Amino acid sequence: MTDPKYEQNGIPGKSNELIADFDPPKPRKRNKYAFACAMLASMTSVLLGYDIGVMSGAQKYIQKDLGCTDNQIEILVGIINLYSLAGSAAAGRTSDWIGRRYTIVFAAAIFFVGAILMGFATNYAFLMVGRFVAGIGVGYALMIAPVYTAEVSPASARGFLTSFPEVFINAGIMFGYVSNYAFSYVDPYHLGWRLMLGIGAIPSVFIAVGVLGMPESPRWLVMQGRLGDARAVLDKTSDSLEESKLRLADIKKAAGIPEECNDDIVQMTKQSHGEGVWKELLIHPTPTVRHILMAGLGIHFFQQASGIDAVVLYSPRIFEKAGIVKDTPQLLATVAVGFVKTVFILVATFLLDKIGRRPLLLSSIGGMIVSLMSLGIALTIIDHSDHKIPWAIALCIATVLSYVAFFSIGMGPITWVYNSEIFPLRLRAQGCSMGTAMNRVVSGVISMTFISLYKGISIGGAFFLFTGIAAVGCVFFYTLFPETQGKNLEEVEQVFGSFFRWRSTQAALDRKKEAELTVANSKAQS
């Protein structure tokens, strides 16, 4: 019998009681602790951004002060990317050895030394030594920041938080451009450029101190057998305790720890400490790992091969070729590039977890193709004209700004987000270090050859070449890149392995998940 006191409007009282007891779901709040951890870790990327930005303006003053040739300057500007290979290659093993957190501190300390050496450089060779040391620090920072952030982030905000390294790269570029403009009034040919480079040591100190207050990555703690410590970190960085338990169960499974094991300390095998990873990555990869490698290395290749460093590092020269010949207008136009780049990367951070990786990536590279083609046309027209063409100059400025805007809305942040979330736990550190190495090699080649390239095939021809590379990249992304939005890091691996048939694999996984959910709901109702 239904209790009459619960009956209202013909609804049985028991049902009404259940409705009254039902607590409707509340809007999900962003995890502030995970946000703070991601913010601190990602600040290391400021170091690379500052170096890129500051060298774009400092190079002309260095060239006049030290009497360098164009070839020496393009090597000086781009060599830090190749030097960073040593740092990014070592960062994977170092982060598995001493942990993600102390690896970030190590990166900041190395860059500090490099910035000081560059600031006190008295000749070209001394400056190259400083570039080498700073490059090691940059390599460490580039690899470890997105890895730590991805491992500490809940799935609901992983895209947003893992895009922070690219945000801070852009912020660093902006600070570098502003530093160029500010110190251009302080004896730029002797003291100014040294202040521009040396002041980069200051943020590295604050970064190192701030990072010491962060927790260690929960995935690294599990790899060390420290389940109790990992559980504590996951409780703080997850959206709920239920999610924390699910994340810990997934990490334990990936690390080879039995699900029923709940000890605070577990003895781990050597395999969990990184042994045999390179063999699994390179010598005998499974189809899944091979697909992940193609995607991870490919996105880093196309990010840099489409010419972003040529535009950012040599924007004063591009504007000079376009007809803006005075230093102050050149530097102001360059500051505008940094401002636009920073604004659009901030927009991208809020779209990654709402729109998804694929739509943003494909829209981004499509806009880049149009911008590069338009820039190449405008520069070619100017190059073949014997007088100033105001509309072509305006088109050059507009297309440079639109290019960096489209890059920042997708290609820039998604490269680091995607690469940090597709590798399985056991391969993540070394896999991300390979992606970073690819990024730095291509960036180094582009930045060290751009002056020679545009002298050989014209500056318009150089951007037509970048247009063609970006078009190939667009086809590559469309055919081979699955969507990873909203998936746990341990679930992402299941989408890979079928290469061009990943869509059917994704559909099968969705059907399986829906069936499991239906069964679970049926059991709950019974």
Side-chain angles (χ1 to χ4, degrees):
M1 291 289 292
T2 300
D3 193 334
K5 69 179 181 179
Y6 291 119
E7 293 186 359
Q8 295 177 2
N9 301 323
I11 301 174
K14 189 66 176 176
S15 301
N16 235 24
E17 185 180 40
L18 290 173
I19 293 171
D21 290 341
F22 177 71
D23 186 17
K26 298 177 181 178
R28 177 174 286 169
K29 295 181 179 178
R30 200 174 295 283
N31 189 298
K32 294 180 180 179
Y33 189 77
F35 179 92
C37 293
M39 178 79 73
L40 283 170
S42 302
M43 284 178 67
T44 54
S45 301
V46 166
L47 306 179
L48 172 63
Y50 184 83
D51 184 86
I52 291 172
V54 82
M55 282 303 293
S56 70
Q59 57 181 278
K60 62 166 57 179
Y61 303 124
I62 293 171
Q63 186 169 18
K64 292 179 181 178
D65 187 20
L66 302 182
C68 305
T69 65
D70 277 348
N71 286 340
Q72 286 178 314
I73 286 297
E74 63 181 357
I75 291 172
L76 178 70
V77 169
I79 197 69
I80 194 170
N81 296 302
L82 299 186
Y83 288 156
S84 68
L85 285 176
S88 61
R93 190 70 183 106
T94 303
S95 66
D96 280 345
W97 178 38
I98 65 175
R100 308 331 191 199
R101 182 177 59 158
Y102 286 115
T103 303
I104 296 173
V105 176
F106 190 46
I110 296 173
F111 188 86
F112 174 85
V113 175
I116 294 296
L117 290 173
M118 288 190 291
F120 284 97
T122 55
N123 54 50
Y124 186 79
F126 194 163
L127 192 54
M128 286 292 280
V129 171
R131 300 290 284 166
F132 174 74
V133 176
I136 300 293
V138 163
Y140 267 93
L142 271 178
M143 179 267 164
I144 196 58
V147 169
Y148 175 88
T149 306
E151 293 184 345
V152 83
S153 303
S156 63
R158 192 175 63 244
F160 174 72
L161 298 179
T162 313
S163 65
F164 279 13
E166 185 69 17
V167 172
F168 282 102
I169 288 176
N170 283 273
I173 290 172
M174 182 66 185
F175 291 148
Y177 287 158
V178 172
S179 177
N180 288 155
Y181 184 73
F183 289 113
S184 65
Y185 294 99
V186 185
D187 187 18
Y189 297 106
H190 300 289
L191 178 61
W193 69 263
R194 290 181 170 86
L195 289 173
M196 294 174 192
L197 298 179
I199 204 171
I202 295 176
S204 62
V205 175
F206 290 103
I207 291 167
V209 173
V211 166
L212 290 174
M214 294 178 355
E216 185 49 83
S217 157
R219 286 175 172 80
W220 183 81
L221 291 170
V222 170
M223 287 167 63
Q224 308 307 306
R226 295 164 56 182
L227 297 188
D229 292 336
R231 189 179 298 111
V233 175
L234 287 169
D235 286 346
K236 291 182 178 180
T237 58
S238 299
D239 292 331
S240 65
L241 289 178
E242 289 75 15
E243 184 189 5
S244 173
K245 292 176 183 177
L246 288 172
R247 288 174 70 188
L248 181 60
D250 286 339
I251 298 170
K252 284 163 61 178
K253 182 179 178 181
I257 299 174
E259 184 179 351
E260 62 275 7
C261 179
N262 291 310
D263 297 337
D264 286 345
I265 302 293
V266 177
Q267 186 65 37
M268 300 297 291
T269 63
K270 287 185 177 181
Q271 179 68 27
S272 297
H273 290 270
E275 302 298 332
V277 168
W278 292 113
K279 182 179 179 181
E280 188 174 351
L281 272 172
L282 300 176
I283 300 176
H284 299 298
T286 62
T288 297
V289 172
R290 194 177 295 116
H291 188 181
I292 288 172
L293 267 178
M294 287 176 64
L297 297 182
I299 195 169
H300 274 290
F301 172 82
F302 286 109
Q303 186 205 50
Q304 291 300 327
S306 55
I308 185 61
D309 275 3
V311 172
V312 173
L313 280 166
Y314 296 103
S315 51
R317 288 179 182 256
I318 294 170
F319 292 133
E320 183 180 3
K321 289 286 184 181
I324 305 173
V325 294
K326 293 183 179 179
D327 285 357
T328 300
Q330 280 180 21
L331 292 177
L332 284 174
T334 302
V335 170
V337 171
F339 178 77
V340 169
K341 205 168 184 298
T342 303
V343 168
F344 278 88
I345 188 66
L346 290 173
V347 173
T349 60
F350 292 99
L351 297 178
L352 275 167
D353 289 314
K354 294 180 179 179
I355 296 179
R357 283 48 159 168
R358 274 179 59 84
L360 277 180
L361 184 62
L362 294 172
S363 301
S364 169
I365 198 163
M368 288 165 61
I369 291 168
V370 174
S371 298
L372 286 167
M373 177 67 74
S374 302
L375 180 58
I377 292 170
L379 287 170
T380 301
I381 291 171
I382 291 170
D383 213 22
H384 288 81
S385 176
D386 55 0
H387 61 278
K388 279 193 174 184
I389 307 176
W391 69 264
I393 296 173
L395 182 60
C396 284
I397 296 172
T399 50
V400 166
L401 295 178
S402 66
Y403 171 75
V404 297
F406 278 115
F407 177 87
S408 296
I409 205 76
M411 179 73 87
I414 290 174
T415 295
W416 301 103
V417 172
Y418 206 83
N419 195 63
S420 64
E421 63 188 6
I422 60 176
F423 284 97
L425 172 63
R426 65 192 180 280
L427 309 176
R428 186 165 299 135
Q430 285 81 358
C432 287
S433 71
M434 287 178 65
T436 305
M438 171 65 78
N439 189 285
R440 293 300 88 199
V441 167
V442 180
S443 175
V445 170
I446 296 294
S447 54
M448 289 172 64
T449 60
F450 181 68
I451 296 176
S452 301
L453 179 67
Y454 78 64
K455 285 182 177 179
I457 64 173
S458 81
I459 193 162
F463 285 103
F464 288 140
L465 175 61
F466 294 145
T467 303
I469 293 172
V472 174
C474 186
V475 175
F476 179 74
F477 298 146
Y478 181 79
T479 55
L480 278 173
F481 275 55
E483 180 59 75
T484 58
Q485 178 193 13
K487 295 180 174 63
N488 291 328
L489 291 176
E490 282 67 35
E491 293 176 344
V492 169
E493 183 180 355
Q494 301 175 32
V495 189
F496 288 86
S498 52
F499 298 93
F500 299 102
R501 299 187 302 276
W502 64 266
R503 289 175 180 82
S504 58
T505 303
Q506 177 68 68
L509 289 171
D510 289 342
R511 288 194 297 270
K512 180 181 177 183
K513 199 170 184 179
E514 187 177 345
E516 290 174 350
L517 185 61
T518 302
V519 171
N521 288 336
S522 299
K523 288 182 178 179
Q525 289 174 359
S526 62

